[in-house]
Amino acid sequence: MAELTQRDVAYEANGTRMIGCLVAPVGAAGADASALAAGGPAAESRPGILLVHDAFGLGADTIDLAARYAELGYAVFAADMWGERTEPQGGADIGRLIGSMAANRGEWMSRLGAAHEAAAAQPEFDADRTVIVGACFGGSSALEYVRTGAPVVAAVSIHGGLDLVAHDWSAAIGSATVLLCTGADDPMAGPEHWQPIKAGLTGAGIDWEFDLYSGTRHAFTNPKTDALGMPGAAFHPRNAARAWARTVDFLGEVTGAAAGIRSSAR
Amino acid sequence: MAELTQRDVAYEANGTRMIGCLVAPVGAAGADASALAAGGPAAESRPGILLVHDAFGLGADTIDLAARYAELGYAVFAADMWGERTEPQGGADIGRLIGSMAANRGEWMSRLGAAHEAAAAQPEFDADRTVIVGACFGGSSALEYVRTGAPVVAAVSIHGGLDLVAHDWSAAIGSATVLLCTGADDPMAGPEHWQPIKAGLTGAGIDWEFDLYSGTRHAFTNPKTDALGMPGAAFHPRNAARAWARTVDFLGEVTGAAAGIRSSAR
């Protein structure tokens, strides 16, 4: 297990105080020597993952997830999208928060942009190799960020709420690469939702992979899903493992064979 | 690199002489000691891959592929579907051979069944853990074998010609698990072809994963594809690597954590 450093990072978006969290491997002496020699980023910088939480806010589960990615060698910046580390508890709160983003996409993207800027200011985080990653609302956010022209090399949407993603991809940057892992029985990600996304990505020249799992509902990677009693959502441990494995491979591919990033064994 | 054993295995299907090829790791001393203790298969048996060639027959490329799987710890039986190791060279020959299978699915499945039986007779091949794997025509064959009730634990179709798969899945065994890796621009695997397959699999209670790659045509795993000048087909090295990696993970999952099978490094 790599030794990790973790610290809160306060930043602001349109007057709201956010408290993100940086988790990264401790040190990397010599790991990026070739990059340094080429005038690249400082020795301690690592490909950056901008991790966007699900509807429940930036809590312990998301920070644990950030640590899982950091153990693979990434510098992970977990964004705080609701501000002040708000963790909404009930469906009404969640609906209000997500609704406020869907109703004001400029604000939504401002918050992501502010998180990305705060991430880029951390010495561990190589912003030139940023991948935005998220599940549920975080997956919607990752796709929206790409759709609106975000400077990321790639995005990962794990059971993203595809119904939240708008349809105009004209601002997107064609060099991005996108991975979507979605349950075939996810009511927020049915064919009526992913067909326009596939068309939009393709139209924007964005490379994509779409992995669809049978018998799988919304929020399938979250062990706590079942306790919520949400119709259309269920934990699916095997496909959570598949999506994790696929994401790890994808991250390794799109961030390059960076020293310190564990490659898959093949 | 594991040391491999390789031998031709002649068998017969409805009067046609087939010459399959077995490729497996040499020995496995102690590897299956726990299975032996539990009254399981002999120490040298390994989860079996029934490998079905593409339209071009059982030639050197397919035997090389069999060796790649064998190096991972599997016993691989490469079927000879055209008989006498026929390797058709031209489109007319290929069209005639594939057409003859599509027109006589009983014969097609007999040939697969005979190959499976010949495989099961090899001491290295644990037929109780058979996965049928194939690309192009081999992928169509894998799906047809499952559709018609094949006793396999899983099937992998890599850019399978989905247009060849019939629609009645009532004979299929629900315990199978299926992986499909398909190019989004494959004319033999468009939505009109995979929608009925997904519906059929789901209806049969068969677990499936469908991975779709953008900008990717038929036969994308074959470096020789481009030289053929086939419209709708093109080699895609990166997605060939993705499909290989996904298949390796999938095989490890569906055959269990068998000793001697290299697990992915996470």
Side-chain angles (χ1 to χ4, degrees):
Chain A
M1 303 288 266
E3 196 188 343
L4 303 181
T5 182
Q6 177 180 330
R7 63 178 177 274
D8 289 347
V9 177
Y11 59 101
E12 204 183 282
N14 293 337
T16 305
R17 181 167 177 266
M18 313 297 195
I19 311 166
C21 184
L22 185 284
V23 190
V26 170
D32 281 325
S34 60
L36 262 187
E44 68 270 29
S45 86
R46 301 296 187 97
I49 294 179
L50 181 58
L51 184 63
V52 187
H53 57 69
D54 60 15
F56 299 96
L58 179 50
D61 291 346
T62 299
I63 292 173
D64 286 348
L65 182 59
R68 287 180 72 193
Y69 285 119
E71 278 168 4
L72 298 171
Y74 298 96
V76 186
F77 189 90
D80 175 16
M81 294 295 287
W82 301 147
E84 299 282 6
R85 287 275 170 97
T86 301
E87 296 185 54
Q89 299 301 320
D93 270 3
I94 286 171
R96 181 183 54 76
L97 285 166
I98 291 184
S100 71
M101 296 292 105
N104 187 350
R105 289 172 194 268
E107 176 67 21
W108 187 2
M109 293 305 104
S110 278
R111 292 185 178 196
L112 281 175
H116 196 181
E117 201 173 315
Q122 309 308 309
E124 296 91 341
F125 193 101
D126 179 359
D128 290 338
R129 289 184 289 173
T130 300
V131 183
I132 184 166
V133 176
C136 295
F137 168 73
S140 318
S141 297
L143 292 168
E144 273 294 284
Y145 201 46
V146 170
R147 186 184 68 78
T148 55
V152 294
V153 296
V156 179
S157 165
I158 308 292
H159 50 75
L162 304 186
D163 52 346
L164 288 181
V165 180
H167 292 179
D168 175 4
W169 287 79
S170 58
I173 298 171
S175 58
T177 303
V178 172
L179 172 67
L180 300 99
C181 297
T182 293
D185 298 336
D186 184 336
M188 300 169 200
E192 72 278 23
H193 301 125
W194 49 256
Q195 293 290 13
I197 291 177
K198 288 201 287 195
L201 289 166
T202 301
I206 292 176
D207 182 274
W208 53 264
E209 175 180 327
F210 186 80
D211 294 358
L212 197 61
Y213 306 110
S214 74
T216 307
R217 303 184 193 182
H218 191 62
F220 66 86
T221 60
N222 187 345
K224 297 180 180 170
T225 292
D226 295 355
L228 299 172
M230 282 170 62
F235 180 44
H236 194 307
R238 196 211 56 200
N239 289 344
R242 287 188 182 185
W244 169 256
R246 184 66 198 98
T247 300
V248 170
D249 271 2
F250 178 81
L251 291 170
E253 178 195 304
V254 298
T255 61
I261 301 294
R262 184 170 63 173
S263 62
S264 66
R266 45 180 180 267
Chain B
M1 305 287 269
E3 195 189 344
L4 303 181
T5 182
Q6 177 181 328
R7 63 179 178 273
D8 289 347
V9 177
Y11 59 101
E12 203 183 283
N14 293 339
T16 306
R17 183 167 175 266
M18 313 298 194
I19 311 167
C21 183
L22 186 284
V23 190
V26 170
D32 280 325
S34 62
L36 263 185
E44 70 268 30
S45 86
R46 301 295 187 97
I49 293 179
L50 181 60
L51 184 64
V52 187
H53 57 69
D54 60 14
F56 300 95
L58 178 50
D61 292 346
T62 299
I63 292 173
D64 285 349
L65 182 61
R68 288 180 72 192
Y69 285 119
E71 278 167 5
L72 298 171
Y74 298 96
V76 186
F77 189 89
D80 175 16
M81 294 295 287
W82 301 149
E84 298 283 4
R85 287 276 170 95
T86 301
E87 295 186 55
Q89 298 301 319
D93 269 5
I94 287 171
R96 181 182 54 75
L97 285 165
I98 291 185
S100 71
M101 296 292 105
N104 186 350
R105 289 171 193 270
E107 174 68 21
W108 187 2
M109 293 304 105
S110 278
R111 292 185 178 196
L112 280 175
H116 197 179
E117 201 172 314
Q122 310 308 310
E124 296 91 342
F125 194 101
D126 179 359
D128 290 338
R129 289 184 290 172
T130 299
V131 183
I132 183 167
V133 176
C136 295
F137 169 73
S140 319
S141 297
L143 292 169
E144 274 293 284
Y145 201 45
V146 171
R147 186 184 68 78
T148 54
V152 295
V153 295
V156 179
S157 165
I158 308 292
H159 50 76
L162 304 186
D163 52 345
L164 288 181
V165 180
H167 293 178
D168 175 4
W169 288 79
S170 59
I173 298 171
S175 58
T177 302
V178 171
L179 171 67
L180 300 98
C181 297
T182 294
D185 299 336
D186 183 337
M188 300 169 199
E192 72 277 23
H193 302 124
W194 48 254
Q195 294 291 14
I197 290 176
K198 288 200 287 194
L201 289 165
T202 301
I206 292 177
D207 182 273
W208 53 265
E209 174 180 329
F210 186 80
D211 293 358
L212 198 62
Y213 306 111
S214 74
T216 307
R217 304 183 192 182
H218 191 61
F220 66 86
T221 61
N222 187 346
K224 296 180 182 170
T225 293
D226 295 354
L228 300 172
M230 282 171 62
F235 180 44
H236 194 306
R238 196 211 56 200
N239 289 344
R242 287 189 182 184
W244 169 256
R246 184 67 199 98
T247 300
V248 170
D249 272 2
F250 178 81
L251 290 170
E253 178 195 305
V254 298
T255 60
I261 300 295
R262 183 169 63 170
S263 62
S264 65
R266 39 179 185 267

